[in-house]
Amino acid sequence: MSSWWCASAWLDGGPVDDVRITAAGGRITAVQPGQPPRPGDHRLTGLVLPGFADAHSHAFHRSLRGRTHDRGGTFWTWRRRMYAVAGRLDPDSHLALARAVYAGLVLAGVTCVGEFHYLHHPAGGGRYANPNAMSDALVEAAADAGLRLTLLDACYLAGGLEGTGHLPLDGVQARFADGDADAWAARVALLPERPGLRIGAAVHSVRAVPAAQLPAVAQAAAGRPLHVHVSEQPAENEACRAYYGRTPAGLLEQHGVLGPSTTAVHATHLTGDDVAALAGSGSTVCACPSTEADLADGVAPLRRLTRAGAPLALGSDQHAGSDLIAEARLVELHQRLVTGQRGCFRPAELVDALTVDGHRALGWPDAGRIAPGRRADLVALRLDSVRTAGCAPGQWMMAASAADVHTVVVDGRVVVSDGQHVLGDVGRLLAAAIDPLWDDA
Ligand SMILES: [Zn+2]
Protein backbone atom coordinates (compact mmCIF):
# COMPACT_ATOMS: atom_id res chain seq x y z
CA MET A 1 0.00 0.00 0.00
CA SER A 2 1.15 3.57 -0.71
CA SER A 3 0.00 6.75 0.99
CA TRP A 4 0.30 10.40 0.10
CA TRP A 5 -0.49 13.48 2.09
CA CYS A 6 -1.49 16.43 -0.05
CA ALA A 7 -1.38 20.01 1.19
CA SER A 8 -4.26 20.52 -1.24
CA ALA A 9 -6.03 18.13 -3.63
CA TRP A 10 -8.61 18.67 -6.37
CA LEU A 11 -11.62 16.60 -5.35
CA ASP A 12 -14.47 16.80 -7.86
CA GLY A 13 -14.71 20.47 -8.64
CA GLY A 14 -12.26 22.27 -6.42
CA PRO A 15 -9.30 22.23 -4.06
CA VAL A 16 -9.59 20.70 -0.57
CA ASP A 17 -6.89 21.10 2.09
CA ASP A 18 -4.98 18.39 3.98
CA VAL A 19 -5.97 15.28 2.05
CA ARG A 20 -4.59 11.79 2.71
CA ILE A 21 -4.78 9.40 -0.24
CA THR A 22 -4.04 5.70 0.03
CA ALA A 23 -3.69 3.27 -2.85
CA ALA A 24 -3.07 -0.41 -3.41
CA GLY A 25 -2.73 -2.38 -6.62
CA GLY A 26 -2.77 0.84 -8.65
CA ARG A 27 -6.18 1.90 -7.30
CA ILE A 28 -7.13 4.57 -4.80
CA THR A 29 -8.47 2.90 -1.68
CA ALA A 30 -9.27 5.93 0.49
CA VAL A 31 -9.44 9.74 0.23
CA GLN A 32 -9.56 11.53 3.59
CA PRO A 33 -9.81 15.35 3.70
CA GLY A 34 -8.80 17.33 6.75
CA GLN A 35 -6.16 14.84 7.89
CA PRO A 36 -2.66 15.53 9.23
CA PRO A 37 0.20 13.65 7.59
CA ARG A 38 1.16 10.33 9.14
CA PRO A 39 4.58 8.67 9.35
CA GLY A 40 5.37 7.01 6.03
CA ASP A 41 3.16 9.30 3.93
CA HIS A 42 4.77 10.77 0.81
CA ARG A 43 4.20 14.51 1.18
CA LEU A 44 3.05 16.33 -1.95
CA THR A 45 3.30 20.11 -1.86
CA GLY A 46 1.23 22.54 -3.93
CA LEU A 47 -1.99 21.23 -5.49
CA VAL A 48 -2.57 17.58 -6.38
CA LEU A 49 -4.79 16.90 -9.39
CA PRO A 50 -6.15 13.78 -11.07
CA GLY A 51 -4.09 12.56 -14.05
CA PHE A 52 -4.46 14.40 -17.35
CA ALA A 53 -5.60 12.70 -20.56
CA ASP A 54 -4.12 13.75 -23.89
CA ALA A 55 -6.99 12.60 -26.08
CA HIS A 56 -5.41 13.37 -29.46
CA SER A 57 -1.74 12.85 -30.23
CA HIS A 58 0.31 12.22 -33.36
CA ALA A 59 3.63 11.58 -31.64
CA PHE A 60 5.75 11.87 -34.77
CA HIS A 61 4.45 15.39 -35.50
CA ARG A 62 6.61 16.54 -32.56
CA SER A 63 9.55 16.42 -34.97
CA LEU A 64 8.05 19.40 -36.83
CA ARG A 65 8.08 21.74 -33.83
CA GLY A 66 10.02 24.86 -34.66
CA ARG A 67 10.68 23.63 -38.21
CA THR A 68 7.76 24.98 -40.23
CA HIS A 69 7.58 28.69 -39.51
CA ASP A 70 9.96 30.08 -42.10
CA ARG A 71 7.82 30.00 -45.22
CA GLY A 72 4.30 30.93 -44.16
CA GLY A 73 1.81 28.83 -46.06
CA THR A 74 -1.36 27.02 -45.08
CA PHE A 75 -2.51 23.83 -43.41
CA TRP A 76 -1.94 22.09 -46.73
CA THR A 77 1.67 23.28 -47.17
CA TRP A 78 2.35 22.28 -43.54
CA ARG A 79 0.96 18.87 -44.37
CA ARG A 80 3.60 18.46 -47.13
CA ARG A 81 6.35 19.03 -44.55
CA MET A 82 4.70 16.52 -42.23
CA TYR A 83 4.56 13.94 -45.03
CA ALA A 84 8.31 14.41 -45.63
CA VAL A 85 9.02 13.36 -42.03
CA ALA A 86 6.45 10.57 -42.20
CA GLY A 87 8.36 9.11 -45.13
CA ARG A 88 11.57 8.79 -43.07
CA LEU A 89 10.36 6.91 -40.01
CA ASP A 90 10.80 3.19 -39.43
CA PRO A 91 9.80 1.14 -36.38
CA ASP A 92 13.08 1.86 -34.53
CA SER A 93 13.08 5.61 -35.11
CA HIS A 94 9.33 5.73 -34.43
CA LEU A 95 9.92 4.02 -31.08
CA ALA A 96 12.73 6.39 -30.08
CA LEU A 97 10.69 9.45 -31.03
CA ALA A 98 7.44 8.32 -29.41
CA ARG A 99 9.20 7.25 -26.21
CA ALA A 100 10.70 10.71 -25.82
CA VAL A 101 7.44 12.48 -26.75
CA TYR A 102 5.43 10.40 -24.29
CA ALA A 103 7.99 10.93 -21.53
CA GLY A 104 7.60 14.66 -22.16
CA LEU A 105 3.85 14.29 -21.82
CA VAL A 106 4.20 12.56 -18.45
CA LEU A 107 6.45 15.42 -17.32
CA ALA A 108 3.48 17.64 -18.18
CA GLY A 109 1.06 15.59 -16.04
CA VAL A 110 -0.36 13.30 -18.71
CA THR A 111 -1.15 9.81 -17.42
CA CYS A 112 -2.88 8.52 -20.57
CA VAL A 113 -2.39 9.36 -24.23
CA GLY A 114 -4.68 8.65 -27.17
CA GLU A 115 -2.45 8.10 -30.18
CA PHE A 116 -4.30 8.66 -33.45
CA HIS A 117 -2.05 6.39 -35.44
CA TYR A 118 -2.01 6.16 -39.22
CA LEU A 119 1.68 5.57 -40.07
CA HIS A 120 1.20 1.85 -40.53
CA HIS A 121 3.29 0.43 -43.37
CA PRO A 122 6.85 0.66 -44.81
CA ALA A 123 7.99 3.49 -46.99
CA GLY A 124 8.01 2.40 -50.60
CA GLY A 125 5.14 -0.06 -50.28
CA GLY A 126 4.56 -3.54 -48.96
CA ARG A 127 4.08 -4.68 -45.39
CA TYR A 128 6.39 -5.22 -42.42
CA ALA A 129 6.85 -8.89 -41.47
CA ASN A 130 4.90 -7.91 -38.39
CA PRO A 131 2.10 -5.84 -39.97
CA ASN A 132 1.73 -3.90 -36.71
CA ALA A 133 5.42 -3.10 -36.25
CA MET A 134 4.75 0.65 -36.19
CA SER A 135 1.89 0.21 -33.71
CA ASP A 136 4.01 -2.02 -31.51
CA ALA A 137 6.63 0.74 -31.41
CA LEU A 138 4.00 3.04 -29.88
CA VAL A 139 2.96 0.39 -27.36
CA GLU A 140 6.57 -0.12 -26.28
CA ALA A 141 7.15 3.65 -26.17
CA ALA A 142 4.19 4.21 -23.84
CA ALA A 143 5.26 1.37 -21.54
CA ASP A 144 8.81 2.79 -21.36
CA ALA A 145 7.52 6.32 -20.73
CA GLY A 146 5.22 5.07 -17.95
CA LEU A 147 1.78 6.17 -19.14
CA ARG A 148 -1.32 4.37 -20.38
CA LEU A 149 -2.01 4.27 -24.11
CA THR A 150 -5.18 4.09 -26.13
CA LEU A 151 -4.01 3.17 -29.60
CA LEU A 152 -6.53 4.71 -32.00
CA ASP A 153 -5.60 2.76 -35.10
CA ALA A 154 -6.76 4.83 -38.04
CA CYS A 155 -8.38 3.58 -41.20
CA TYR A 156 -6.99 5.56 -44.12
CA LEU A 157 -7.94 4.57 -47.64
CA ALA A 158 -7.95 7.54 -50.03
CA GLY A 159 -5.62 10.40 -50.87
CA GLY A 160 -8.15 13.17 -50.39
CA LEU A 161 -11.59 14.37 -51.44
CA GLU A 162 -12.60 16.79 -54.12
CA GLY A 163 -16.02 17.69 -55.40
CA THR A 164 -15.75 14.93 -58.00
CA GLY A 165 -14.78 12.18 -55.55
CA HIS A 166 -11.85 10.66 -53.70
CA LEU A 167 -8.30 10.98 -54.94
CA PRO A 168 -5.85 8.09 -55.30
CA LEU A 169 -3.16 7.71 -52.65
CA ASP A 170 -0.18 9.87 -53.38
CA GLY A 171 3.44 9.20 -52.33
CA VAL A 172 3.84 8.67 -48.61
CA GLN A 173 0.09 8.21 -48.15
CA ALA A 174 0.61 4.60 -49.28
CA ARG A 175 2.17 4.03 -45.84
CA PHE A 176 -1.15 4.91 -44.21
CA ALA A 177 -3.46 2.66 -46.23
CA ASP A 178 -4.68 -0.92 -45.77
CA GLY A 179 -6.69 -1.21 -49.01
CA ASP A 180 -10.19 -1.35 -47.56
CA ALA A 181 -11.94 -1.27 -44.19
CA ASP A 182 -12.05 -5.06 -43.89
CA ALA A 183 -8.28 -5.36 -44.36
CA TRP A 184 -7.76 -2.55 -41.85
CA ALA A 185 -10.02 -4.34 -39.35
CA ALA A 186 -8.21 -7.65 -39.84
CA ARG A 187 -4.85 -6.00 -39.07
CA VAL A 188 -6.23 -4.18 -36.01
CA ALA A 189 -7.73 -7.44 -34.73
CA LEU A 190 -4.16 -8.77 -34.36
CA LEU A 191 -3.39 -6.13 -31.71
CA PRO A 192 -3.88 -7.53 -28.19
CA GLU A 193 -4.87 -5.37 -25.24
CA ARG A 194 -2.84 -5.59 -22.04
CA PRO A 195 -2.73 -3.71 -18.74
CA GLY A 196 -2.24 -0.04 -19.55
CA LEU A 197 -3.20 -0.52 -23.22
CA ARG A 198 -6.55 -0.14 -24.93
CA ILE A 199 -7.02 -0.73 -28.65
CA GLY A 200 -9.39 1.77 -30.20
CA ALA A 201 -10.19 2.78 -33.76
CA ALA A 202 -10.22 5.86 -35.91
CA VAL A 203 -11.63 7.11 -39.16
CA HIS A 204 -8.88 9.41 -40.36
CA SER A 205 -11.44 11.78 -41.91
CA VAL A 206 -14.12 11.84 -44.58
CA ARG A 207 -11.29 12.89 -46.88
CA ALA A 208 -9.47 9.60 -46.34
CA VAL A 209 -12.33 7.13 -45.84
CA PRO A 210 -15.10 6.92 -48.48
CA ALA A 211 -18.63 6.81 -47.08
CA ALA A 212 -19.23 3.27 -48.28
CA GLN A 213 -16.42 2.08 -45.97
CA LEU A 214 -17.59 3.97 -42.87
CA PRO A 215 -20.10 1.40 -41.54
CA ALA A 216 -17.46 -1.36 -41.57
CA VAL A 217 -15.11 0.80 -39.48
CA ALA A 218 -17.86 1.66 -37.00
CA GLN A 219 -18.85 -2.00 -36.77
CA ALA A 220 -15.25 -3.14 -36.20
CA ALA A 221 -14.86 -0.53 -33.46
CA ALA A 222 -17.66 -2.36 -31.65
CA GLY A 223 -18.11 0.13 -28.85
CA ARG A 224 -14.41 0.78 -28.33
CA PRO A 225 -13.20 4.39 -28.60
CA LEU A 226 -13.69 5.58 -32.19
CA HIS A 227 -12.09 8.90 -33.08
CA VAL A 228 -12.35 10.94 -36.27
CA HIS A 229 -10.98 14.25 -37.56
CA VAL A 230 -14.01 16.41 -38.42
CA SER A 231 -14.17 19.71 -40.31
CA GLU A 232 -10.74 20.97 -39.40
CA GLN A 233 -10.55 23.05 -42.57
CA PRO A 234 -13.25 24.71 -44.71
CA ALA A 235 -11.93 22.89 -47.81
CA GLU A 236 -13.01 19.55 -46.29
CA ASN A 237 -16.54 20.85 -45.83
CA GLU A 238 -16.71 22.26 -49.34
CA ALA A 239 -15.55 19.02 -50.98
CA CYS A 240 -17.84 16.90 -48.79
CA ARG A 241 -20.88 19.03 -49.59
CA ALA A 242 -20.05 19.06 -53.28
CA TYR A 243 -19.61 15.29 -53.52
CA TYR A 244 -22.05 13.93 -50.93
CA GLY A 245 -24.45 16.85 -50.48
CA ARG A 246 -23.78 16.70 -46.73
CA THR A 247 -21.36 18.11 -44.20
CA PRO A 248 -18.70 15.79 -42.75
CA ALA A 249 -20.60 15.52 -39.44
CA GLY A 250 -23.81 14.84 -41.35
CA LEU A 251 -22.10 12.13 -43.38
CA LEU A 252 -20.67 10.48 -40.27
CA GLU A 253 -24.10 10.56 -38.62
CA GLN A 254 -25.74 9.05 -41.71
CA HIS A 255 -23.30 6.13 -41.72
CA GLY A 256 -23.44 5.26 -38.02
CA VAL A 257 -20.09 6.68 -36.94
CA LEU A 258 -21.37 9.04 -34.23
CA GLY A 259 -22.28 7.88 -30.72
CA PRO A 260 -21.18 7.84 -27.07
CA SER A 261 -17.93 6.01 -27.90
CA THR A 262 -17.06 8.46 -30.66
CA THR A 263 -14.85 11.52 -30.39
CA ALA A 264 -14.92 14.22 -33.07
CA VAL A 265 -11.51 15.87 -33.20
CA HIS A 266 -11.38 19.62 -33.98
CA ALA A 267 -15.04 20.07 -35.07
CA THR A 268 -14.00 23.55 -36.10
CA HIS A 269 -16.29 24.54 -38.97
CA LEU A 270 -19.77 23.34 -38.00
CA THR A 271 -23.34 24.18 -38.94
CA GLY A 272 -26.12 24.29 -36.36
CA ASP A 273 -27.23 20.85 -37.56
CA ASP A 274 -23.68 19.54 -37.07
CA VAL A 275 -23.68 20.77 -33.46
CA ALA A 276 -27.03 19.04 -32.88
CA ALA A 277 -25.83 15.80 -34.52
CA LEU A 278 -22.60 15.61 -32.52
CA ALA A 279 -24.14 16.56 -29.18
CA GLY A 280 -27.35 14.60 -29.75
CA SER A 281 -25.43 11.41 -30.45
CA GLY A 282 -23.44 11.73 -27.22
CA SER A 283 -20.18 12.13 -29.12
CA THR A 284 -17.28 13.83 -27.36
CA VAL A 285 -15.55 16.77 -29.01
CA CYS A 286 -11.77 16.99 -28.72
CA ALA A 287 -10.23 20.45 -28.98
CA CYS A 288 -6.56 20.88 -29.84
CA PRO A 289 -6.31 24.66 -29.62
CA SER A 290 -2.54 25.13 -29.93
CA THR A 291 -2.52 23.05 -33.10
CA GLU A 292 -5.65 24.75 -34.42
CA ALA A 293 -3.95 28.11 -33.90
CA ASP A 294 -0.64 26.91 -35.34
CA LEU A 295 -2.34 25.62 -38.49
CA ALA A 296 -4.67 28.61 -38.81
CA ASP A 297 -7.68 26.28 -38.64
CA GLY A 298 -10.13 28.52 -36.83
CA VAL A 299 -11.98 28.34 -33.51
CA ALA A 300 -14.56 25.61 -32.89
CA PRO A 301 -17.96 26.50 -31.37
CA LEU A 302 -17.03 24.68 -28.16
CA ARG A 303 -19.40 26.58 -25.90
CA ARG A 304 -22.33 25.78 -28.16
CA LEU A 305 -21.26 22.12 -28.35
CA THR A 306 -20.91 21.64 -24.61
CA ARG A 307 -24.14 23.53 -23.87
CA ALA A 308 -25.86 21.14 -26.29
CA GLY A 309 -24.47 18.23 -24.27
CA ALA A 310 -21.22 17.18 -25.96
CA PRO A 311 -18.46 16.33 -23.46
CA LEU A 312 -15.15 18.12 -24.11
CA ALA A 313 -11.72 16.49 -24.25
CA LEU A 314 -8.32 18.01 -25.05
CA GLY A 315 -5.45 16.97 -27.29
CA SER A 316 -1.89 18.01 -28.00
CA ASP A 317 -2.32 16.81 -31.62
CA GLN A 318 0.85 17.89 -33.47
CA HIS A 319 2.65 18.68 -30.19
CA ALA A 320 3.14 22.32 -30.99
CA GLY A 321 3.34 22.66 -27.20
CA SER A 322 2.81 19.30 -25.42
CA ASP A 323 1.35 21.29 -22.50
CA LEU A 324 -2.17 20.14 -21.72
CA ILE A 325 -2.66 22.88 -19.13
CA ALA A 326 -2.00 25.41 -21.87
CA GLU A 327 -4.45 23.59 -24.16
CA ALA A 328 -7.16 23.87 -21.52
CA ARG A 329 -6.46 27.55 -20.99
CA LEU A 330 -6.46 28.23 -24.74
CA VAL A 331 -9.96 26.74 -25.01
CA GLU A 332 -11.22 29.53 -22.79
CA LEU A 333 -9.02 32.24 -24.30
CA HIS A 334 -10.01 31.43 -27.90
CA GLN A 335 -13.69 31.50 -26.92
CA ARG A 336 -13.15 34.92 -25.36
CA LEU A 337 -11.61 36.19 -28.59
CA VAL A 338 -14.53 35.09 -30.76
CA THR A 339 -17.40 35.80 -28.31
CA GLY A 340 -16.21 39.02 -26.66
CA GLN A 341 -17.06 37.46 -23.29
CA ARG A 342 -14.92 36.19 -20.40
CA GLY A 343 -15.74 33.06 -18.47
CA CYS A 344 -17.14 30.94 -21.30
CA PHE A 345 -15.74 27.90 -19.44
CA ARG A 346 -15.31 27.84 -15.66
CA PRO A 347 -11.90 26.54 -14.51
CA ALA A 348 -13.56 23.42 -13.05
CA GLU A 349 -15.10 22.61 -16.45
CA LEU A 350 -11.65 22.83 -18.03
CA VAL A 351 -10.26 20.49 -15.35
CA ASP A 352 -12.99 17.96 -16.20
CA ALA A 353 -12.02 18.14 -19.87
CA LEU A 354 -8.39 17.62 -18.92
CA THR A 355 -9.09 14.69 -16.61
CA VAL A 356 -12.30 12.68 -16.34
CA ASP A 357 -13.86 13.46 -19.71
CA GLY A 358 -10.60 12.98 -21.60
CA HIS A 359 -10.06 9.62 -19.94
CA ARG A 360 -13.60 8.54 -20.74
CA ALA A 361 -13.08 9.45 -24.41
CA LEU A 362 -10.07 7.14 -24.42
CA GLY A 363 -11.92 4.21 -22.86
CA TRP A 364 -10.76 4.64 -19.25
CA PRO A 365 -13.92 5.56 -17.31
CA ASP A 366 -12.16 4.44 -14.12
CA ALA A 367 -9.57 7.26 -14.32
CA GLY A 368 -9.54 11.04 -14.02
CA ARG A 369 -10.90 11.56 -10.50
CA ILE A 370 -9.30 11.37 -7.09
CA ALA A 371 -11.81 9.03 -5.49
CA PRO A 372 -11.88 5.53 -3.99
CA GLY A 373 -11.85 2.82 -6.65
CA ARG A 374 -10.34 5.06 -9.30
CA ARG A 375 -6.92 4.57 -10.85
CA ALA A 376 -4.19 6.02 -8.65
CA ASP A 377 -3.11 8.84 -10.98
CA LEU A 378 -1.83 11.94 -9.18
CA VAL A 379 -0.33 15.12 -10.64
CA ALA A 380 1.28 17.52 -8.16
CA LEU A 381 1.61 21.13 -9.28
CA ARG A 382 3.68 23.91 -7.73
CA LEU A 383 1.68 26.86 -6.51
CA ASP A 384 4.81 28.84 -5.57
CA SER A 385 6.48 29.22 -8.99
CA VAL A 386 6.98 32.49 -10.83
CA ARG A 387 3.82 31.60 -12.79
CA THR A 388 1.54 30.35 -10.04
CA ALA A 389 2.58 32.27 -6.89
CA GLY A 390 -0.33 34.30 -5.60
CA CYS A 391 -3.07 32.70 -7.68
CA ALA A 392 -6.25 31.39 -6.07
CA PRO A 393 -5.89 27.56 -6.03
CA GLY A 394 -9.29 27.20 -7.71
CA GLN A 395 -8.04 29.22 -10.69
CA TRP A 396 -4.61 27.58 -11.16
CA MET A 397 -5.72 26.64 -14.66
CA MET A 398 -5.39 30.21 -15.85
CA ALA A 399 -1.85 30.62 -14.44
CA ALA A 400 0.10 27.34 -14.46
CA SER A 401 2.12 25.59 -17.15
CA ALA A 402 3.48 22.09 -17.62
CA ALA A 403 6.72 23.32 -16.03
CA ASP A 404 4.89 23.58 -12.69
CA VAL A 405 4.25 19.82 -12.53
CA HIS A 406 6.71 18.33 -10.02
CA THR A 407 5.39 14.81 -9.31
CA VAL A 408 3.39 12.39 -11.44
CA VAL A 409 2.00 9.06 -10.27
CA VAL A 410 0.49 6.70 -12.88
CA ASP A 411 -1.50 3.70 -11.67
CA GLY A 412 0.23 4.02 -8.30
CA ARG A 413 3.75 4.19 -9.76
CA VAL A 414 5.86 7.34 -9.35
CA VAL A 415 7.06 8.23 -12.87
CA VAL A 416 8.04 11.86 -12.31
CA SER A 417 9.59 13.06 -9.07
CA ASP A 418 10.97 16.53 -8.36
CA GLY A 419 10.42 17.37 -12.03
CA GLN A 420 12.55 14.44 -13.26
CA HIS A 421 11.25 11.59 -15.40
CA VAL A 422 12.50 8.09 -14.61
CA LEU A 423 14.02 7.93 -18.13
CA GLY A 424 16.31 10.86 -17.33
CA ASP A 425 16.98 13.84 -19.59
CA VAL A 426 13.93 13.93 -21.87
CA GLY A 427 15.20 16.93 -23.84
CA ARG A 428 18.25 14.91 -24.81
CA LEU A 429 16.05 11.95 -25.81
CA LEU A 430 13.97 14.24 -28.02
CA ALA A 431 16.99 15.77 -29.73
CA ALA A 432 18.52 12.34 -30.33
CA ALA A 433 15.28 11.16 -31.93
CA ILE A 434 14.48 14.26 -34.00
CA ASP A 435 17.78 15.64 -35.27
CA PRO A 436 18.62 12.61 -37.49
CA LEU A 437 15.24 12.97 -39.24
CA TRP A 438 16.36 16.37 -40.56
CA ASP A 439 20.02 15.60 -41.27
CA ASP A 440 19.76 15.89 -45.04
CA ALA A 441 16.31 17.41 -45.31
ZN1 LIG B 1 -4.95 14.97 -35.66
Side-chain angles (χ1 to χ4, degrees):
M1 193 183 83
S2 301
S3 59
W4 293 270
W5 179 83
C6 313
S8 181
W10 190 273
L11 304 182
D12 288 345
V16 175
D17 288 344
D18 303 330
V19 179
R20 274 195 90 236
I21 300 168
T22 55
R27 300 268 172 181
I28 295 171
T29 52
V31 178
Q32 301 168 290
Q35 295 284 311
R38 296 184 197 170
D41 287 353
H42 305 281
R43 293 186 181 220
L44 295 175
T45 57
L47 174 64
V48 177
L49 298 148
F52 305 163
D54 181 353
H56 189 70
S57 161
H58 307 286
F60 82 88
H61 291 193
R62 171 64 180 82
S63 57
L64 293 149
R65 187 187 298 179
R67 297 269 189 178
T68 62
H69 300 278
D70 51 342
R71 300 179 204 167
T74 66
F75 171 91
W76 307 101
T77 53
W78 172 87
R79 192 179 71 156
R80 280 205 293 275
R81 306 289 293 275
M82 183 268 283
Y83 280 1
V85 173
R88 291 165 178 261
L89 287 160
D90 61 21
D92 288 340
S93 54
H94 198 211
L95 167 60
L97 178 54
R99 179 196 286 128
V101 171
Y102 292 164
L105 288 177
V106 186
L107 279 173
V110 174
T111 55
C112 181
V113 62
E115 179 72 20
F116 194 111
H117 170 55
Y118 56 87
L119 190 51
H120 301 308
H121 302 300
R127 296 288 181 267
Y128 291 111
N130 165 9
N132 285 310
M134 293 295 270
S135 301
D136 286 352
L138 295 165
V139 172
E140 187 176 343
D144 290 351
L147 81 175
R148 292 186 300 278
L149 169 68
T150 297
L151 183 69
L152 301 159
D153 194 300
C155 184
Y156 195 113
L157 304 173
L161 178 63
E162 293 186 342
T164 51
H166 284 89
L167 304 173
L169 298 163
D170 183 25
V172 73
Q173 291 174 334
R175 299 195 69 177
F176 312 158
D178 287 289
D180 60 27
D182 290 339
W184 162 83
R187 180 180 53 73
V188 175
L190 300 174
L191 289 164
E193 292 196 337
R194 62 170 83 158
L197 172 65
R198 292 250 190 287
I199 304 299
V203 170
H204 179 275
S205 59
V206 300
R207 291 180 275 124
V209 181
Q213 301 281 322
L214 291 172
V217 180
Q219 194 173 7
R224 293 177 294 175
L226 174 59
H227 288 218
V228 51
H229 292 124
V230 180
S231 295
E232 181 173 5
Q233 285 280 325
E236 173 179 308
N237 286 20
E238 290 158 17
C240 193
R241 279 180 185 281
Y243 186 58
Y244 292 113
R246 291 177 186 270
T247 62
L251 192 71
L252 295 168
E253 179 187 37
Q254 181 189 17
H255 291 277
V257 176
L258 302 185
S261 305
T262 299
T263 294
V265 181
H266 303 304
T268 309
H269 302 282
L270 301 184
T271 65
D273 286 347
D274 293 340
V275 171
L278 290 169
S281 66
S283 300
T284 296
V285 171
C286 182
C288 310
S290 71
T291 291
E292 289 149 8
D294 184 80
L295 296 179
D297 288 339
V299 178
L302 297 174
R303 186 68 280 189
R304 282 167 52 207
L305 283 159
T306 57
R307 285 202 175 126
L312 176 66
L314 300 165
S316 61
D317 195 356
Q318 59 147 317
H319 297 275
S322 302
D323 181 343
L324 273 290
I325 298 171
E327 300 292 345
R329 182 163 54 244
L330 284 172
V331 163
E332 165 64 14
L333 295 180
H334 288 176
Q335 294 298 307
R336 290 183 188 184
L337 287 170
V338 295
T339 65
Q341 293 189 330
R342 306 177 82 233
C344 297
F345 287 91
R346 289 179 292 110
E349 292 178 285
L350 298 172
V351 176
D352 283 349
L354 191 58
T355 57
V356 66
D357 289 331
H359 274 102
R360 192 184 301 116
L362 294 176
W364 305 90
D366 55 350
R369 289 176 59 210
I370 298 176
R374 298 291 174 130
R375 287 175 177 273
D377 293 351
L378 303 173
V379 176
L381 192 78
R382 287 180 59 182
L383 292 180
D384 60 354
S385 74
V386 290
R387 291 163 294 277
T388 55
C391 77
Q395 299 180 35
W396 65 273
M397 168 69 60
M398 303 310 286
S401 88
D404 296 312
V405 172
H406 66 78
T407 301
V408 181
V409 178
V410 186
D411 288 330
R413 177 191 174 214
V414 179
V415 183
V416 172
S417 181
D418 200 20
Q420 294 295 308
H421 192 280
V422 291
L423 289 179
D425 184 342
V426 176
R428 207 173 59 169
L429 294 176
L430 283 163
I434 294 170
D435 289 344
L437 298 173
W438 294 94
D439 272 353
D440 54 353

